[in-house]
Amino acid sequence: MPPNTTATTGDTATTGAAPAKSGRKKGRKARLIVLVLVLAIIGGIAYGAYWSISTVRASFPQTKGSITLQGLSGPVDVKRDGNGIPQIYASSDEDLFMAQGYVQAQDRFYEMDVRRHMTSGRLSEMFGKSQVKNDEFLRTLGWDRIAKQEYDTKLSASTKKYLQAYAKGVNAYLQGKDGKDISLEYAALGFTNDYKPEKWTPVDSVSWLKAMAWDLRGNMQDEIDRALMTSRLGPQQIADLYPEYPYSRNKPIVQEGQYDEVTRSFQQSGGTGSSQSAGTTGTTGTTGGATGAPGGTTGTTGSSASATTGSSLTSQLAGLYNVLDDVPTAVGVNGQGIGSNSWVVAGKYTITGKPLLANDPHLSASLPSVWYQMGLHCRSVSSKCRYDVTGYTFAGMPGVIIGHNANIAWGMTNSGVDVTDLYLEKVTANGYQYDGKVRPFRTRQETIKVAGGSAKTIVVRQTQDGMPLLSDRDDELVQVGKRATVNTAAPDRGDGYGIALRWTALDPGTSMDAVFAIDRAADWSDFRQAAALFDVPSQNLVYADTDNNIGYTLPGKIPTRSSADDGSIPAPGWDSKYRWTGFIKQKELPYEYNPQRGYIVTANQAVVDKDKYPYTLTSDWGYGTRSQRITDLIESKIKDHGKISTDDMRQMQLDNSSEIAKLLVPKLLKINLKDKDVRDAQKLLEGWDYTQESDSAAAAYFNSVWRNILKLAFGNKLPKELRVKGQCLWVDKIDSTGPVDDDSKVRECGERDADQAQPDGGDRWFEVVRTLMEKPNSDWWKTPKSGTRPAANNMDELFARAMIDARWELTAKLGKDIDTWSWGRLHRLFLKNQTLGTDGPKVLQYVLNRGPWKLSGGEATVNATGWNAAGGYGVVWVPSMRMVVNLADLDKSKWINLTGASGHAFSAHYTDQTSLWAKGELLPWSFSDKAVDQSTSDTLVLKP
C-alpha cells in the first residue's frame, strides 16, 4: 500500500512578485509622472541626475524619421502600428534581415543578451557568483558548442547569409552605445558590474533554438520522476500514476493520414512492426521500492537579492548577485500542463469558404513575452528578395517561427515525442563501463568568468558517443543514480550511478534552415519539404493554404529503440542493446492532408493510434483532454450552425470548461457532510456549469477540492524529491529497498520548487483519478487523521475530507463569506522580468514587474492558464500568444501577444497587450500593403 503519511505543515503556496504598477499607462503625462515617482524612490536626490527621465527614455527606440545604417544596399521602411508592432519593407533578403536585427535590438536587446548568456552558460559574467551553478549545468549541456557546429557544418549558405545580415543589424544598433543607452537594466547593473554588451554573432541566434528545445524536450522529467518514485512506491503503484492513454475516448491527431511505405510494410507484416512493436508502453524493468499494489487495485501496465534597505542606490542594488533562481525554470517550466493548442478547419465548414487556422502555444509566463510580432516584406518578391511573411518570432532570431505568408499559414504545438533518454552509467576511476569494458570519458575544461569574483574551471565528462554526464552538476540526478532500478546483472551500485543524457538537440541539425524554408513555402509540397528540416524540437505542424487545403505533418529527429528499451525510465548505459538503434525516416513519419472530417486538432495528444503505427513515438503523451474538448466544440458548431467564423475560433480558444469537474462534481454533490459551513460551500457546485470564469465562486471551491483530493490521495505519499519545498510530513522510514516495515517514522520536507512539484493536477492526474474511481476501496483513497480532520478509508471518505479541507483553506485565503469568493482571486498572473525582476532588489522588482491579473481558465482547459496543484493556485503557464488566420482574407486575421512589442519597462508597449489578452480579445493583423499603411502610426526609414 502507499506509505502512510501524516501532514505536519500546510502546503507552500505559489507566490508571485510583489504587485507592481499597472501594465497599461495611459497618456504621456501620466507616464512621466510615474517615472518621476519611481526614479525618486530608486535613486534619491544623490542619484537623481543619473536616473533622470532622459536617461530612462534614452533607450527607447527611434520610430520616426531616418537613420543611416552602413551595410544596407537600399532604403528600408519600418512601419509600426499603434501597438508598436513593426512591419519591415526591403528590396533584398539581406537588407530585410539586417533591418530585422536592428529593429529587434531596438526593442529587446537586453532580453536578447540575457538569452545568449543563458544558452552559452555565461550568466555569471552578467550577474555574478549566484549563477555559477546554472552556468556549470549549461556548459555541460554545451548548447552554444552544438550551435556553432550547426553553423559551421549543417546550415545552408543562404541561411548563413541571413544570420550574418541579422547580426550586422544588431551590431549596427549597438555601435556607439553604452549599457545605459540600451536599457534600464544595464543602467542598474552598472552600479555593481562593469559589464558591457558584446557584438552579436550568428551563432547567438542559432543557440536560442536549443533553449526552446530544452523547454519542449519531451518526457525527461517523467523519467526522473518515475525513478525517484521507486523509493516509496512499487511497480504497480507507479503504473497507477501513469495510466494508458485513453485512445477510445480522446482521439489522436492523425486519424485518416498516411505513413507512406511504413504503413504498407506494417500492415503486410500483420501489424507487428518493422523495428519494434507499435505503441510499446509499460514500466519494463521497474523493480524495487515498496512491494505490492494498493489494496483493491488490479491495475494496468502504464508507461512507464534581496537588497538591504539603505540610503543610497548602491546599497539598494547590492543584491544583484542573487538574480535568477534556476535556469531550467527560467528557460521554461516543464510539466504536464505545458503544451499548446492548434487546429485548422477546412473551407467547407467555415463562413468564408476558406480554411481558418488557430494557434496558442502554452509556455511559462515571462516579461517580455517570449514572442515578438512582426512582418517581413519584400517590396517585390523575386529571386533577389524572396519573403513576404508575418507572424511571431523570437527576439534574437531572424525569420518568422509561426504565422503566414501570402499563400500558406501554419501553427505549432509540441509533439511530446520522446527524444531524450537518461542513461545510468557505472563510473570507475578510469571511465565508465560499456559491454564489459571500461571506456575513458571524453573531457573538456570550461572556464566560467564571474562578475565581481574569481573565475571557476570545471571539467565536463562525456561518453564516447557524446552524452554529457549531467549528474556531475545536478543533485536531483544524483538521487536518480542512487535509486533507479536495475536488474541483478547490473554492476555494483556502490554510491550510485552517474546519469548521462542522450538528446537529439545535442547533435548538430538544420532547424534554422527550416525556419526560412517554411517562411517562403508556397504550397503543401513546399511546406512538407521545409518541415523535414525542422529536426529539433519535434513539433506538430498544422497547415492551411489559400487554395483551400489543410494538413498536418510531424517532423523531427525521432529515435528508434530496441525492444529492450521503451524510453520510459533511465536505461542501463553499460549495455549496448539499450542504445538508440537509429532514427525514423522522414517519409515514415505520420501526416494528414485534407481529411474527410474537415478539421485537424493538435493539443499534445497522441499523434497516432498505437495499433496503427510501428514505431514508439513516446509513452508519455498529454492525455488528450484539451484536444478532445476542441474536437467536441468544432463538431458542435458544425452540427448546430454548419459554418464556423473567425470569432468562433477565438471563442474556442477561451473555453474554460473543466473536464475533471464534469467527472467529479456529481459525485461530490452526493457526499453527506455534517458541518453547515462545508455544506454551504458544497452548494456552490449545485447548478454550476463547470466553466472556470474568474468571478466564479464555484470554480474557486472546486479547484480547491481537486487540489486537496490530489494532496491527500497522492501528494502525501510521494517521496520528498517530488513534493513542494517546505511541505513536511511524518513518513515511514526507508532503506535501499523501500519503506521499512515498522512503526517508526521520520520527518521529511519537500525539495522541489512549487511550480515543478507533483501532483501537478494536469490531465494525467485526471486519468489517474478517473481510473481509480472504479476502485473506491483502493489504498490510494486512504489517508490518516490529521488534527481534528477525520481519517479516510475509502474514496467517499477522502472526498469528504477534501471538501472539508478546501472549505477551511479558502476561508483562510478568501474569507469566511463564500459570497466573496472568486476563482480569479486565487488564480492570478504576475508577470516578472526574467532577470532583475525575479530575484533582484525589491525596488527593481517593483519597477520591472507587472500584475496581478485575475484570470479565467485553468489546468488542462482549452484556455490553459495552468497552475500547479501541489504548489498553489497562481498561474504558472499561459497561452503565450493567440492567433486566428483567415485564409480567405488575410487582413481579417487576428492576433495578440502576452505582453507587448517592447522590452523597455516604461515604454507604452511594455505590457499594452496584456489586459486585452487576459480578456480574450484579439488585435487586427494587417498584412497587405494597403492594410499595413492604414494601421501605421510611425514610420522609420533606414538608409544605406
Side-chain angles (χ1 to χ4, degrees), residues 128-129 321 449-455:
K129 62 184 178 182
Y321 289 157
K449 298 178 182 178
V450 182
S454 301

Side-chain angles (χ1 to χ4, degrees), residues 717-729:
K717 298 161 189 173
L718 295 176
K720 64 181 184 296
E721 291 87 357
L722 274 67
R723 298 201 314 269
V724 178
K725 285 180 182 177
Q727 183 193 77
C728 299
L729 307 169

Side-chain angles (χ1 to χ4, degrees), residues 699-710:
Y701 182 60
F702 172 77
N703 281 314
S704 183
V705 173
W706 170 237
R707 179 176 185 243
N708 280 280
I709 288 172
L710 292 172

Side-chain angles (χ1 to χ4, degrees), residues 750-764:
E751 297 180 352
R752 192 169 281 185
D753 289 343
D755 57 9
Q756 301 279 312
Q758 293 292 341
D760 61 21
D763 63 357
R764 171 165 68 88

